[in-house]
Amino acid sequence: MASKEGPVCQIFSFQDWKASPDPIFELPAQYLTPTPSPIVIDNGSFQTRAGWAAPGGELDPPRLLFKSVAARSRGAARSETQIGNDIPNLEPLRWLLKSQFDRNVVVNFEIQELIFDYVFTHLGITSEGSVDHPIVLTEAPCNPLHCRQMMSELLFECYSVPHVSYGVDSLYSFYHNNNQRKLQSPHTGIVLSSGYHCSHILPVINGRLDAVNCKRVNVAGSQAASYLQRLLQLKYPGHLAAITLSRMEELLHEHSYTAVDYHEELEKWRSPEFYEREVHRMQLPFSSKVPGGCVSVEERQERRAQQLRRLQEINARRREEKLQQDQERLDRLLAVQELLEDGLLDQFHKSLVELNMDSAEELQSYINKLQLAVEQGRQKLLHSDGAEGKAEVSELEQPMDETDGVALMDSDFPEDSLPEKPANVVQPVFNMAEYHQLFVGTERLRCPEILFQPSLTGEEQMGLMETLQYVLARYTPEQQEALVSNVFLTGGNMQYPGMKERVERELLAMRPFQSQFKVTMASCPALDAWHGARGWALEHPPGAGSEGWISRQDYEEKGGEYLSEHCASNAFVPMKIAKPARPAEPSVTMQASTEAPAAITMVTSDPTPSSSSSSSAVADVTMVTT
């Protein structure tokens, strides 16, 4: 197993890596003279890596490394498009992200042009309308001719580059590591490459790719991340929004491993001690302030006092408003009563009609009630300091919010009669941090396993090692021995701990008894493709008739699909265009003689039969007969 002995409880936090914008580098003068230095672009479906093919240790790593995505909303201008590291966080813009790839093949050349613009601008190329540097570009194994034609058209017609070289990323990595191991060329071996969208089996014989026997498996890193996201979302339905694709990719890269024996490893996870020791608890971000959480007795009393003070202020304000309204109504009724006392009966009866009253007795009854209400209201206001905590529910004519509603009291009950919870009651403890933890157990090995068992995700295809066995079966025993003597693993999805040991175990079960094989892992599976392309460009500078380079003249003469082969390139299979069939020949009357040259008379009919000047066209053709 890949993991080591650790503490009983392993808690990790998500890094949530945020991208920072790439700087715009200045173009050094030595890259222009005596000849322009090549630009090496590893055009990967997950990341794009770009830099200069220049000698010197300081420039060994690629200068640019960013996600191969672009974000542009519908209808936005081209200048508003965000590329790669210009997007600090992918998740809010996930629905806007676009890529130039369909699986591992470039099909969206509008996005590809934006990627090239980003690369050339940040590398410091300021030439107007052209890029005067040769380009080394990676492409997919067995890349369709139409895609290469469109890419060549983009580079030669849009950017006016002088030379272009295409190569396969995993073969560049194979070339680079073989040179580091001082292996004698031409190299023979078989490459197992797994990237973001696809995995490949690439046999290499005598330094050339055997394209006929290449195979692709449509399972790689993106499928593993989606599978892990689906597993954890089913396991933790309360944290759907927090289980993002970016965090799943981080889980795969940092916390997953490949089991040497999958079923035996699953049996180990049945042990509680093994589970507690090896499970990774991923801490999600959370807020410790929880409504209704555990609070102390003093805090509860303080909150209660605040609610009472707020209620008292509301009730006092409403009493004042009601007292003012009652006083105004009382003054109006008294003014009407004065009309009766002054003998103004007409005005008095008219005012009674306006007040919707029938007699002077009813008016006097309303005046008495209002005088009593006004007197009581004044008494309550005078004694408000001694009557704190009292409230009349009947006076609350408007609805109040939930907090005030809890604290409403009837005026007949004093504050001291409100029930109090005893201070010694034990409140249940809720661990908010543990609630926001993802326990990643068997998912650590289930997701990388889909590379060997795609059926775990419902894919109806062979796994990587089954495909390898199928490819090896197409060769003679001698060729199989040569191929398995150099089994090379590369690609970002091959970086799981235990991957090399798993491939060795599968090969041991696959190969004949006491047969020899050797499995090698790339020194840096994610970056060796770029390093290999850079090393190849330094060893094979562009020039007239140089191997592996396509000049603009070659592009114009041989077409955009043309490929100049080299040790890390695809095999070029010209496009065969069927010629249209010739129209049927008119009837021919031949007279042949074995003694003399034959005279062949071709009789053609005039389309106008009434013409009197119709004649036959006679052609004398000399034919050699035996």
Side-chain angles (χ1 to χ4, degrees):
M1 179 175 167
S3 60
K4 300 179 180 180
E5 292 289 331
V8 175
C9 179
Q10 301 183 76
I11 301 178
F12 303 88
S13 298
F14 285 105
Q15 300 298 320
D16 289 336
W17 179 77
K18 307 292 184 183
S20 56
D22 291 315
I24 297 179
F25 297 97
E26 294 185 0
L27 179 61
Q30 61 266 26
Y31 293 168
L32 296 173
T33 56
T35 57
S37 298
I39 299 174
V40 180
I41 303 175
D42 181 9
N43 196 30
S45 58
F46 181 69
Q47 282 183 333
T48 298
R49 307 165 187 90
W52 297 98
E58 59 180 4
L59 296 177
D60 276 349
R63 285 208 168 184
L64 298 176
L65 195 152
F66 57 90
K67 293 284 185 69
S68 301
V69 291
R72 179 174 60 182
S73 58
R74 181 174 298 177
R78 182 186 179 96
S79 59
E80 298 176 4
T81 305
Q82 294 177 290
I83 306 292
N85 290 337
D86 288 344
I87 310 173
N89 187 7
L90 296 180
E91 293 308 321
L93 301 178
R94 179 71 66 179
W95 63 284
L96 285 176
L97 296 182
K98 298 178 182 178
S99 174
Q100 69 268 41
F101 287 91
D102 180 8
R103 293 193 183 272
N104 64 330
V105 177
V106 178
V107 295
N108 192 336
F109 287 91
E110 180 183 1
I111 302 298
Q112 183 65 65
E113 184 179 352
L114 294 174
I115 297 290
F116 282 150
D117 289 344
Y118 184 89
V119 169
F120 297 145
T121 301
H122 285 77
L123 287 180
I125 298 176
T126 58
S127 55
E128 188 69 26
S130 65
V131 176
D132 298 329
H133 296 264
I135 305 295
V136 180
L137 187 66
T138 60
E139 63 178 7
C142 304
N143 193 34
L145 295 182
H146 172 71
C147 298
R148 186 183 302 125
Q149 178 183 1
M150 296 295 293
M151 186 69 75
S152 296
E153 181 179 342
L154 177 63
L155 290 172
F156 283 112
E157 300 293 346
C158 182
Y159 296 100
S160 300
V161 299
H163 293 85
V164 175
S165 178
Y166 297 107
V168 180
D169 51 359
S170 51
L171 295 185
Y172 277 131
S173 180
F174 184 63
Y175 168 85
H176 175 69
N177 282 268
N178 285 339
N179 288 344
Q180 284 187 334
R181 293 157 56 195
K182 308 296 182 183
L183 295 182
Q184 184 178 1
S185 58
H187 307 129
T188 297
I190 192 161
V191 180
L192 274 63
S193 171
S194 183
Y196 190 61
H197 282 118
C198 299
S199 302
H200 292 91
I201 310 292
L202 307 177
V204 179
I205 298 178
N206 295 328
R208 286 292 186 270
L209 175 68
D210 185 8
V212 176
N213 293 318
C214 290
K215 296 298 174 186
R216 183 180 75 179
V217 179
N218 292 325
V219 174
S222 64
Q223 288 82 6
S226 299
Y227 183 49
L228 178 57
Q229 183 183 33
R230 186 170 57 186
L231 289 178
L232 291 182
Q233 285 182 344
L234 289 173
K235 189 175 181 180
Y236 298 98
H239 301 304
L240 294 181
I243 303 175
T244 62
L245 202 57
S246 299
R247 287 175 174 170
M248 297 306 100
E249 291 172 357
E250 180 183 339
L251 273 179
L252 283 176
H253 297 160
E254 303 295 335
H255 302 276
S256 298
Y257 68 96
T258 302
V260 178
D261 189 326
Y262 179 65
H263 296 287
E264 180 181 344
E265 192 71 22
L266 284 181
E267 288 297 325
K268 293 181 181 179
W269 281 90
R270 293 179 179 272
S271 169
E273 294 80 10
F274 185 90
Y275 180 86
E276 288 295 330
R277 186 174 67 250
E278 299 299 336
V279 68
H280 284 195
R281 303 184 182 190
M282 305 304 301
Q283 183 67 62
L284 296 173
F286 68 97
S287 175
S288 58
K289 296 181 179 179
V290 182
C294 298
V295 293
S296 62
V297 177
E298 293 78 8
E299 291 178 352
R300 289 201 305 272
Q301 292 177 351
E302 179 64 26
R303 291 180 183 179
R304 185 178 183 83
Q306 290 178 0
Q307 291 176 352
L308 289 175
R309 285 193 295 269
R310 184 180 178 187
L311 180 63
Q312 291 166 4
E313 293 173 359
I314 294 174
N315 287 341
R317 184 169 60 251
R318 292 187 176 181
R319 285 193 194 101
E320 292 177 359
E321 293 175 355
K322 190 174 185 302
L323 177 61
Q324 184 179 1
Q325 293 174 0
D326 290 345
Q327 185 64 48
E328 292 175 355
R329 186 172 177 81
L330 178 61
D331 294 341
R332 184 180 177 187
L333 294 180
L334 291 174
V336 173
Q337 191 178 33
E338 289 178 358
L339 293 176
L340 178 61
E341 294 175 354
D342 295 340
L344 303 175
L345 298 179
D346 293 337
Q347 295 181 9
F348 174 73
H349 290 295
K350 185 178 179 180
S351 299
L352 283 180
V353 172
E354 292 177 357
L355 294 174
N356 197 18
M357 294 184 184
D358 298 331
S359 62
E361 291 77 10
E362 187 177 357
L363 175 63
Q364 185 63 42
S365 175
Y366 271 98
I367 290 175
N368 294 336
K369 291 180 180 179
L370 282 176
Q371 287 176 342
L372 180 61
V374 169
E375 185 64 25
Q376 290 178 352
R378 288 174 180 174
Q379 293 294 330
K380 288 181 180 179
L381 288 178
L382 290 175
H383 299 85
S384 59
D385 295 336
E388 290 181 359
K390 299 180 181 179
E392 295 181 5
V393 180
S394 60
E395 295 180 357
L396 301 180
E397 300 173 350
Q398 299 180 0
M400 304 172 62
D401 56 30
E402 181 181 355
T403 306
D404 296 332
V406 175
L408 288 181
M409 302 177 298
D410 194 276
S411 58
D412 296 333
F413 296 94
E415 178 185 356
D416 297 338
S417 63
L418 294 176
E420 287 284 350
K421 293 183 179 180
N424 57 355
V425 174
V426 179
Q427 297 291 334
V429 178
F430 181 74
N431 193 337
M432 184 58 64
E434 186 172 349
Y435 173 74
H436 286 83
Q437 287 178 4
L438 306 181
F439 286 60
V440 185
T442 56
E443 294 86 2
R444 295 176 56 201
L445 64 145
R446 286 183 185 274
C447 297
E449 184 65 22
I450 69 171
L451 191 61
F452 302 95
Q453 299 184 56
S455 59
L456 293 175
T457 61
E459 294 285 343
E460 296 181 355
Q461 56 182 325
M462 292 189 295
L464 190 68
M465 299 310 296
E466 291 178 88
T467 309
L468 174 62
Q469 185 176 11
Y470 175 79
V471 170
L472 289 175
R474 300 170 70 91
Y475 293 96
T476 63
E478 293 76 14
Q479 290 175 323
Q480 293 181 24
E481 290 293 335
L483 289 172
V484 299
S485 64
N486 188 8
V487 179
F488 181 69
L489 310 180
T490 187
N493 199 42
M494 285 287 185
Q495 299 183 93
Y496 301 113
M499 179 63 72
K500 179 182 176 182
E501 292 77 8
R502 175 63 178 271
V503 173
E504 289 176 343
R505 183 181 181 279
E506 297 281 352
L507 274 174
L508 183 64
M510 182 190 308
R511 298 296 298 154
F513 179 64
Q514 292 186 343
S515 61
Q516 300 295 322
F517 59 85
K518 184 176 183 181
V519 179
T520 306
M521 177 69 75
S523 56
C524 183
L527 293 179
D528 276 354
W530 186 88
H531 286 292
R534 172 186 173 275
W536 180 89
L538 290 175
E539 294 181 7
H540 302 82
S546 56
E547 180 188 24
W549 291 97
I550 306 170
S551 63
R552 184 173 184 86
Q553 183 179 0
D554 294 332
Y555 164 73
E556 293 174 349
E557 293 179 355
K558 302 175 183 178
E561 70 276 3
Y562 172 69
L563 173 68
S564 179
E565 296 184 14
H566 57 90
C567 60
S569 72
N570 279 306
F572 177 56
V573 180
M575 184 183 299
K576 295 181 180 180
I577 302 177
K579 295 182 179 180
R582 283 189 169 186
E585 295 288 342
S587 58
V588 178
T589 303
M590 295 192 303
Q591 297 177 353
S593 172
T594 58
E595 298 177 357
I600 300 180
T601 304
M602 301 177 63
V603 182
T604 59
S605 60
D606 197 333
T608 308
S610 60
S611 176
S612 59
S613 61
S614 61
S615 61
S616 299
V618 179
D620 294 333
V621 180
T622 303
M623 302 178 63
V624 180
T625 59
T626 56

